[in-house]
Protein backbone atom coordinates (compact mmCIF):
# COMPACT_ATOMS: atom_id res chain seq x y z
CA UNK A 1 0.00 0.00 0.00
CA UNK A 2 2.92 2.37 0.48
CA UNK A 3 3.16 2.87 -3.28
CA UNK A 4 -0.56 3.57 -3.57
CA UNK A 5 -1.61 7.21 -3.40
CA UNK A 6 -3.80 7.48 -0.32
CA UNK A 7 -3.74 11.03 0.99
CA UNK A 8 -5.64 10.24 4.17
CA UNK A 9 -3.48 7.25 5.08
CA UNK A 10 -0.27 9.10 4.34
CA UNK A 11 -1.39 12.07 6.40
CA UNK A 12 -2.41 9.93 9.35
CA UNK A 13 0.84 7.93 9.31
CA UNK A 14 3.39 10.61 8.50
CA UNK A 15 1.99 14.06 9.18
CA UNK A 16 -0.70 14.22 11.85
CA UNK A 17 1.72 13.64 14.72
CA UNK A 18 3.25 17.07 14.15
CA UNK A 19 0.59 18.93 12.16
CA UNK A 20 -2.48 17.75 14.11
CA UNK A 21 -5.51 15.70 13.13
CA UNK A 22 -6.97 18.60 11.13
CA UNK A 23 -3.66 20.04 9.82
CA UNK A 24 -4.26 23.08 12.00
CA UNK A 25 -1.09 23.04 14.12
CA UNK A 26 2.27 24.66 13.50
CA UNK A 27 4.65 21.71 13.34
CA UNK A 28 7.71 22.12 15.56
CA UNK A 29 6.27 25.59 16.25
CA UNK A 30 7.84 26.67 12.95
CA UNK A 31 5.98 25.31 9.94
CA UNK A 32 2.69 27.01 9.13
CA UNK A 33 -0.57 25.22 9.78
CA UNK A 34 -1.09 23.20 6.62
CA UNK A 35 -4.80 24.04 6.46
CA UNK A 36 -3.81 27.65 5.69
CA UNK A 37 -1.91 26.74 2.51
CA UNK A 38 -3.21 26.27 -1.01
CA UNK A 39 -2.98 22.87 -2.63
CA UNK A 40 -0.34 24.16 -5.08
CA UNK A 41 1.81 25.61 -2.30
CA UNK A 42 1.62 22.31 -0.38
CA UNK A 43 2.62 20.30 -3.46
CA UNK A 44 5.54 22.63 -4.20
CA UNK A 45 6.72 22.54 -0.57
CA UNK A 46 6.39 18.77 -0.22
CA UNK A 47 8.37 18.17 -3.39
CA UNK A 48 11.06 20.65 -2.34
CA UNK A 49 11.41 18.95 1.06
CA UNK A 50 11.44 15.49 -0.51
CA UNK A 51 14.13 16.58 -2.95
CA UNK A 52 16.27 18.17 -0.21
CA UNK A 53 15.79 21.75 -1.44
CA UNK A 54 14.29 22.68 1.94
CA UNK A 55 15.80 21.20 5.06
CA UNK A 56 13.99 20.51 8.29
CA UNK A 57 12.93 17.92 10.81
CA UNK A 58 9.98 16.79 8.69
CA UNK A 59 12.05 15.81 5.66
CA UNK A 60 12.33 12.13 6.58
CA UNK A 61 8.54 11.79 6.54
CA UNK A 62 8.52 13.08 2.96
CA UNK A 63 11.70 11.47 1.65
CA UNK A 64 10.17 8.64 -0.36
CA UNK A 65 6.81 10.07 -1.41
CA UNK A 66 6.01 9.85 -5.10
CA UNK A 67 4.63 12.81 -7.03
CA UNK A 68 1.24 11.05 -7.08
CA UNK A 69 1.28 10.56 -3.30
CA UNK A 70 2.20 14.21 -2.78
CA UNK A 71 -0.73 15.35 -4.92
CA UNK A 72 -3.15 13.04 -3.09
CA UNK A 73 -1.79 14.20 0.27
CA UNK A 74 -2.27 17.87 -0.65
CA UNK A 75 -5.81 17.15 -1.88
CA UNK A 76 -6.65 15.39 1.39
CA UNK A 77 -5.28 18.25 3.50
CA UNK A 78 -7.07 20.82 1.35
CA UNK A 79 -10.35 18.96 1.97
CA UNK A 80 -10.07 19.03 5.77
CA UNK A 81 -12.40 21.39 7.65
CA UNK A 82 -10.91 24.84 8.20
Amino acid sequence: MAAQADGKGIYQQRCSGCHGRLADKKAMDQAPALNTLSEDVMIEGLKARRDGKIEGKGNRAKANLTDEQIVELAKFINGLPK
Side-chain angles (χ1 to χ4, degrees):
M1 283 236 175
Q4 184 180 2
D6 171 23
K8 180 178 180 179
I10 294 167
Y11 185 80
Q12 289 174 338
Q13 289 180 334
R14 299 181 186 209
C15 310
S16 65
C18 293
H19 290 283
R21 190 174 62 83
L22 298 176
D24 58 348
K25 296 189 177 166
K26 291 177 70 171
M28 310 297 180
D29 211 22
Q30 295 176 4
L34 298 178
N35 69 352
T36 65
L37 304 174
S38 73
E39 199 171 306
D40 289 339
V41 168
M42 279 187 272
I43 291 168
E44 183 179 315
L46 286 165
K47 286 181 179 180
R49 282 186 165 276
R50 177 198 63 195
D51 298 342
K53 295 176 184 173
I54 298 173
E55 299 212 8
K57 293 185 180 188
N59 283 25
R60 281 199 328 230
K62 299 153 189 85
N64 62 355
L65 292 175
T66 66
D67 285 351
E68 182 184 11
Q69 288 172 319
I70 286 173
V71 169
E72 291 304 313
L73 179 56
K75 284 181 183 179
F76 171 76
I77 294 167
N78 195 34
L80 290 170
K82 306 277 185 248

